[in-house]
Amino acid sequence: MQVTASRCPAPVPPPGSRGIDEILAAARARLDRLDPERAHLAYRRGALLVDIRPAAQRAAHGVVPGSLAIERNVLEWRFDPRCPARLPQAVDYDVPVVILCQEGYTSSLAAAALQDIGLHRATDVVGGFAAWRIAGLPALGPTALHRASPLASPVTAGPARR
């Protein structure tokens, strides 16, 4: 007899724990989430558009021109104005930050984390980059991932000869 996941009892969660659906709902309840069009307008008005997707995902699906690529694992350190590892743009707690992920799930958690450190204007894009693309907003790519060339780059190779 084959045992399937539907026949196995669910483990009992530890007291006080919350499931990811509860955590996501709590994060989103704190955010003024933006649809792609509103996010684009906020970006054009000076908000920082931060793409937290991994490099491989950005290469596979494309990017928003001018967005900051800050992978999720270092986001709080780059935006906490108290942190020595902060970005030059992380000047204070009033900086408008719009987080973008692929589909709008991880970005909600990330925006709530930025609010936890005091960036009260942090939010995210409903539907993520996928919705941005569908809305026909500016995007570049996808691009092929490639290995670094063994040849020197044009910047370091010296002047071109004719």
Side-chain angles (χ1 to χ4, degrees):
M1 177 177 186
Q2 184 176 358
V3 177
T4 63
S6 63
R7 291 191 175 175
C8 293
V12 176
S17 67
R18 298 181 298 158
I20 189 59
D21 291 336
E22 292 173 274
I23 293 168
L24 183 62
R28 287 180 170 171
R30 299 168 32 194
L31 303 174
D32 176 20
R33 300 184 76 213
L34 304 177
D35 63 34
E37 291 82 4
R38 284 181 56 213
H40 185 241
L41 285 174
Y43 172 58
R44 291 184 56 192
R45 290 182 182 135
L48 298 175
L49 184 62
V50 180
D51 190 334
I52 62 169
R53 298 174 298 154
Q57 207 169 37
R58 292 190 311 269
H61 298 281
V63 298
V64 175
S67 63
L68 295 171
I70 310 291
E71 291 193 18
R72 177 65 189 99
N73 63 326
V74 296
L75 183 70
E76 291 87 346
W77 287 269
R78 299 300 180 255
F79 279 95
D80 185 348
R82 296 169 277 222
C83 183
R86 72 184 174 276
L87 294 170
Q89 297 92 328
V91 294
D92 61 37
Y93 298 95
D94 198 42
V95 173
V97 179
V98 179
I99 305 294
L100 185 71
C101 70
Q102 187 61 32
E103 294 181 351
Y105 293 94
T106 305
S107 59
S108 295
L109 300 176
L114 290 182
Q115 285 188 356
D116 287 344
I117 61 173
L119 286 115
H120 63 98
R121 296 175 69 189
T123 191
D124 75 324
V125 179
V126 175
F129 183 76
W132 182 282
R133 266 283 201 208
I134 290 168
L137 295 169
L140 301 172
T143 59
L145 286 175
H146 59 279
R147 296 177 188 245
S149 170
L151 304 173
S153 74
V155 174
T156 59
R161 301 205 177 172
R162 292 182 184 211

